[in-house]
Amino acid sequence: MTRLFVLLFCFIVTTSSEEWWLSPQNGPTCKINTCREKDATCECSLTIDHKVTMMTKNPPMLVRPYNGSLYLYNDTNYRFPLPDEKIAEVITADGYGSRLVITINERFPGPTIEAHEDQTMIIHVRNLMHTDSTTIHWHGMHQKGTPEFDGVAFISQPPILPGGTFTYRFKAQPHGTNFYHAHIGDQRSMGLYGGLIIYPRYKFYSQPQVGFTVILQDWNHDDEPETLYQRMLNGVYDLKSYTLIEPTSSVDGANFSRFHIHSALINGKGRFYTGHNNIGSSFTHNGAPLETFRVKRSGNSRFRVISAATLYPFRVYVQNHHRLIIRASDGFEILRGVGKNSEDLVVESFIIHPGERMDFTVNFDSDPGTYLLVAESIEDLSKKTPPEYHAAEALILYEGTPLVYPNKPADDQSHCTSRAPCPVFNCPYLFYPKNKNRECLTFDKANSNEYESKFQEIQTADETLFFNFAFPGQPGNTPGSVNGHQFIPPVYPILTDEEKLTTKCSKNDCSEDKICSCTYNVELQSNRVYQFVLTNLGKGKGWSHPVHLHGHYFYVMKMGFGTYNETSGKFLLSSDDIACLGNKSYCNVASWANSNWTTTENNIPGLQLEYPPEKDTIIVPTGGYVIIRFKANNPGAWFFHCHIDLHNTNGMGMVVLESKDKWRYNGVNKTNGPNYSIVTSLILCMVILFLDW
């Protein structure tokens, strides 16, 4: 009887951690009775695999789009639209062709996880891809005390091999709109991402908190991520006409790298605009289904917009609703002004860059009907021949009204006038062309509206460091680098195996006059306040970069821009606030041009010292700079990089080694190996059985 009890105990101990595992076919993403507001934990499982777009499941058959619905490939007259439940199982993307994507729990993008601040997140990841390894980064989560679960391949963990599993455990901190995505190679471009919404404990933030999650992605028909990366290096060609496709630029003339997009998606859905119709007055599209958000008339709705884009920024607006209130950015509540002088940050539209999140509310007080939520690429496509239109769209349907599948909204700018220009928030430049009647509000014009803002602790910086994010190579566009260092990922995770690093940066190879390739890192001392000056200068400028810091939020103290033509909006000259030292074309080493600017005196003009906004991803404009501050209070090895996938892969990143004495030998897991608690239990059971025998 004793032996039977011991055997039963051993079976329960060694299997209970997996018995709840639910496959996508027979259960939800998150374990039942977790993730509620009063629950201590939020436990979920994610299964990663490959699928192809525009295919039904059982039986698998190709489909084609028309007028917002789907039809089987052989229904050439579009007589039998598929029922809604059948459409729901199809990964449509923009309805063009059929290409490979990465799914999570058979969904593209992955399911949004909703949890509550301070809950313990337990997320099991299973990799069913046949040949690809992967990791998952929890973008926006600070991983305080758990740097080993940050999810960056070879920085915080080894990759999850094909057929392997890995369990992430971390605190849901801080609150706000976040997301999870792959952090190895360019897998994010194939769809390995999903929303992560953390509801706040503090109940008096802007309302409503519950709302719609809107995840943006730029979309390419032709190539998978590794091919796209090679195209960036070698050029993009139209293989039908055998012509070179020139990269586009934004209205200020700043470049976009060689990643050509055909369309864009909201929550994995979009439609492909094929060009002008015969009259030439409007664009035509392929009629693919769009995401639908149902709203109440006169209701105030919250939209949580997440950019999982590979490269392109988008200007987001709501058709016929010109008053958007920006509530938060990267999860942190913001407004305009301080104290009694504060007011809502009201805009007509806003720009969002890869890695950023932006919350807004809007009151639906127009005539009931169907409207479009639009995220237009900020490319200047006016010289494209034939014309192109790149936008992500979703339907906004007033409750109680019939759904209408609309065409592209007319380019009606009549509500933007010279006397009352339309405010556009988070511009990577200072001006739109005069005839656009648009006014740029850069991010540093916002203020924090966080209940527990700790801006007082960063009033004075202990040390200032300059980091130039640029493409200083001979062709002018490769390699991506930080201070002239092209980042080479280590072979072993630097968090746990720094002593095995074989790609250290050499003073002989890396200097103010050279470009080098190595695992670039800097060490930060515990509890010091650091001021980072992020620059985009030298001959490698010309591409604006959204820079993301893992493990922290930072305060945006100031944004510095170059000189622009205020009529055309074109960039003219770089900012003269920064002095590039040594080889000025590289700008690997920099300082303030005015030696009297100091952080101890806080005499840098334009410094935002009272309630500066918090953020974890910020755009560094071409020819300009951004000043950020944060306190080094989170020991770990944190990746610091451009969030444009292709730029990051090309080496535009580095590692911040923070408080090494506090994490090197302090409980950080050394391997992604077996569950040693289970192994220990098995050994204990064997000993008990042996002794009892």
Side-chain angles (χ1 to χ4, degrees):
M1 188 69 178
T2 303
R3 295 190 193 110
L4 180 62
F5 175 79
V6 172
L7 284 170
L8 180 61
F9 169 77
C10 292
F11 176 78
I12 292 173
V13 167
T14 57
T15 61
S16 61
S17 65
E18 296 294 337
E19 67 180 0
W20 72 269
W21 188 287
L22 300 172
S23 70
Q25 290 80 16
N26 64 11
T29 294
C30 295
K31 188 176 180 180
I32 296 172
N33 296 329
T34 74
C35 308
R36 300 169 302 183
E37 185 173 6
K38 301 299 183 181
D39 292 329
T41 63
C42 179
E43 190 168 6
C44 312
S45 62
L46 304 178
T47 298
I48 299 169
D49 205 351
H50 282 117
K51 301 291 180 185
V52 291
T53 64
M54 298 302 285
M55 296 288 293
T56 60
K57 282 176 60 176
N58 294 309
M61 298 183 71
L62 184 70
V63 296
R64 60 170 70 183
Y66 180 72
N67 198 31
S69 191
L70 295 178
Y71 298 78
L72 292 179
Y73 73 99
N74 52 3
D75 185 1
T76 56
N77 294 320
Y78 303 108
R79 297 175 58 194
F80 305 105
L82 296 182
D84 290 344
E85 61 270 17
K86 203 69 177 176
I87 292 176
E89 68 185 28
V90 178
I91 299 168
T92 59
D94 71 350
Y96 180 91
S98 181
R99 62 157 290 185
L100 187 70
V101 295
I102 298 176
T103 61
I104 305 170
N105 294 1
E106 297 196 340
R107 295 171 63 180
F108 167 84
T112 292
I113 297 172
E114 297 184 20
H116 295 267
E117 192 173 11
D118 295 335
Q119 283 180 330
T120 296
M121 306 298 296
I122 305 172
I123 305 181
H124 311 277
V125 177
R126 175 170 48 178
N127 180 10
L128 295 188
M129 294 186 289
H130 294 162
T131 58
D132 292 353
S133 300
T134 194
T135 62
I136 302 292
H137 169 55
W138 312 95
H139 189 114
M141 297 292 95
H142 291 171
Q143 301 291 350
K144 202 159 190 177
T146 55
E148 67 271 32
F149 295 128
D150 192 42
V152 185
F154 303 113
I155 306 300
S156 56
Q157 72 171 96
I160 307 168
L161 299 177
T165 62
F166 187 86
T167 297
Y168 293 89
R169 293 180 177 87
F170 56 90
K171 285 288 186 182
Q173 296 172 344
H175 61 82
T177 302
N178 305 286
F179 69 122
Y180 60 90
H181 61 79
H183 220 305
I184 184 171
D186 299 301
Q187 290 178 347
R188 189 178 89 235
S189 300
M190 288 187 71
L192 211 170
Y193 59 85
L196 177 62
I197 310 302
I198 308 299
Y199 293 111
R201 287 183 291 107
Y202 182 65
K203 300 302 181 184
F204 299 98
Y205 282 124
S206 59
Q207 299 298 324
Q209 282 289 319
V210 176
F212 303 106
T213 300
V214 181
I215 312 182
L216 304 178
Q217 183 180 1
D218 37 16
W219 193 244
N220 177 280
H221 294 159
D222 301 330
D223 298 313
E224 295 168 14
E226 297 304 321
T227 309
L228 291 171
Y229 176 67
Q230 293 300 319
R231 300 277 189 235
M232 186 191 80
L233 300 180
N234 299 294
V236 181
Y237 292 83
D238 185 325
L239 299 180
K240 295 179 181 177
S241 61
Y242 288 94
T243 55
L244 177 67
I245 299 176
E246 294 291 347
T248 55
S249 62
S250 52
V251 294
D252 64 330
N255 301 314
F256 295 115
S257 298
R258 294 185 217 132
F259 165 56
H260 181 68
I261 63 169
H262 298 96
S263 60
L265 312 176
I266 289 178
N267 296 349
K269 298 176 183 178
R271 54 189 180 184
F272 174 46
Y273 282 88
T274 54
H276 280 70
N277 59 21
N278 293 332
I279 302 174
S281 59
S282 64
F283 284 92
T284 58
H285 54 74
N286 63 352
L290 299 176
E291 180 80 323
T292 301
F293 302 114
R294 289 174 167 79
V295 301
K296 294 182 179 180
R297 172 152 171 70
S298 298
N300 196 36
S301 297
R302 189 185 195 99
F303 288 81
R304 297 175 178 270
V305 185
I306 300 166
S307 178
T310 298
L311 175 70
Y312 289 92
F314 293 93
R315 185 178 70 86
V316 179
Y317 67 93
V318 178
Q319 182 186 12
N320 286 13
H321 297 73
H322 307 310
R323 181 183 167 85
L324 310 183
I325 302 177
I326 304 297
R327 297 298 188 181
S329 180
D330 296 355
F332 297 97
E333 299 266 328
I334 56 176
L335 41 59
R336 197 170 186 183
V338 175
K340 294 181 180 180
N341 295 321
S342 64
E343 59 184 5
D344 286 337
L345 182 50
V346 181
V347 299
E348 183 261 354
S349 58
F350 62 88
I351 294 174
I352 188 168
H353 305 268
E356 288 188 309
R357 292 88 69 206
M358 204 76 73
D359 293 21
F360 72 90
T361 59
V362 57
N363 189 30
F364 288 102
D365 53 3
S366 290
D367 294 334
T370 303
Y371 297 90
L372 284 170
L373 170 65
V374 183
E376 287 184 343
S377 162
I378 67 168
E379 299 166 276
D380 179 2
L381 298 173
S382 60
K383 298 179 182 178
K384 274 285 186 180
T385 306
E388 295 182 19
Y389 179 64
H390 304 154
E393 300 166 304
L395 306 179
I396 295 178
L397 175 64
Y398 277 61
E399 287 185 355
T401 62
L403 178 65
V404 176
Y405 186 74
N407 290 318
K408 175 183 178 297
D411 294 323
D412 179 15
Q413 304 297 319
S414 60
H415 60 283
C416 304
T417 66
S418 58
R419 290 188 176 183
C422 287
V424 182
F425 182 57
N426 200 31
C427 293
Y429 33 72
L430 285 182
F431 302 100
Y432 272 90
K434 280 283 188 184
N435 59 5
K436 296 292 185 181
N437 293 326
R438 295 191 177 279
E439 175 188 15
C440 277
L441 297 177
T442 55
F443 191 84
D444 58 343
K445 297 297 187 290
N447 291 88
S448 172
N449 194 31
E450 280 293 310
Y451 169 65
E452 295 182 327
S453 178
K454 298 178 180 179
F455 71 93
Q456 293 91 347
E457 68 181 14
I458 53 89
Q459 288 296 294
T460 302
D462 296 309
E463 186 174 354
T464 297
L465 300 174
F466 289 78
F467 297 104
N468 192 37
F469 289 79
F471 287 106
Q474 291 305 316
N477 57 13
T478 56
S481 69
V482 182
N483 288 350
H485 302 74
Q486 181 185 25
F487 186 79
I488 303 297
V491 178
Y492 298 94
I494 195 171
L495 178 69
T496 55
D497 296 281
E498 187 189 359
E499 70 278 1
K500 296 180 181 178
L501 184 62
T502 59
T503 51
K504 294 181 180 180
C505 299
S506 164
K507 290 184 178 180
N508 292 329
D509 297 328
C510 306
S511 71
E512 61 188 26
D513 298 314
K514 294 180 181 178
I515 302 171
C516 61
S517 298
C518 60
T519 304
Y520 183 37
N521 59 79
V522 298
E523 294 187 20
L524 304 185
Q525 297 178 26
S526 181
N527 289 318
R528 286 171 64 85
V529 174
Y530 285 90
Q531 176 169 275
F532 284 4
V533 183
L534 315 181
T535 64
N536 187 351
L537 300 170
K539 73 173 184 178
K541 69 178 185 305
W543 298 259
S544 295
H545 302 290
V547 174
H548 174 51
L549 176 61
H550 290 222
H552 285 277
Y553 66 88
F554 47 75
Y555 297 88
V556 180
M557 311 301 293
K558 178 185 178 180
M559 298 185 74
F561 290 82
T563 304
Y564 292 81
N565 182 312
E566 297 186 24
T567 300
S568 67
K570 295 300 182 184
F571 172 81
L572 299 176
L573 297 170
S574 294
S575 169
D576 57 7
D577 292 344
I578 311 289
C580 294
L581 308 179
N583 189 329
K584 292 181 173 53
S585 67
Y586 288 167
C587 206
N588 293 345
V589 181
S591 68
W592 294 120
N594 187 334
S595 59
N596 292 322
W597 286 14
T598 65
T599 55
T600 53
E601 300 293 333
N602 279 328
N603 58 358
I604 300 171
L607 210 58
Q608 174 94 282
L609 292 172
E610 192 172 7
Y611 287 96
E614 297 98 329
K615 213 167 180 352
D616 61 44
T617 307
I618 187 70
I619 190 70
V620 183
T622 181
Y625 64 93
V626 180
I627 303 174
I628 65 173
R629 288 183 185 178
F630 65 97
K631 190 173 184 178
N633 56 7
N634 191 11
W638 307 115
F639 204 33
F640 184 38
H641 63 102
C642 175
H643 213 270
I644 292 173
D645 246 8
L646 302 173
H647 295 185
N648 176 41
T649 304
N650 195 231
M652 196 174 288
M654 58 179 291
V655 177
V656 173
L657 298 175
E658 182 178 340
S659 310
K660 287 171 59 175
D661 58 315
K662 294 183 179 294
W663 57 257
R664 182 176 287 176
Y665 304 110
N666 188 22
V668 174
N669 293 336
K670 291 288 286 184
T671 64
N672 183 11
N675 187 326
Y676 288 104
S677 62
I678 293 177
V679 173
T680 302
S681 300
L682 281 170
I683 294 172
L684 178 62
C685 290
M686 292 173 64
V687 170
I688 293 173
L689 285 170
F690 176 77
L691 293 174
D692 183 64
W693 209 271

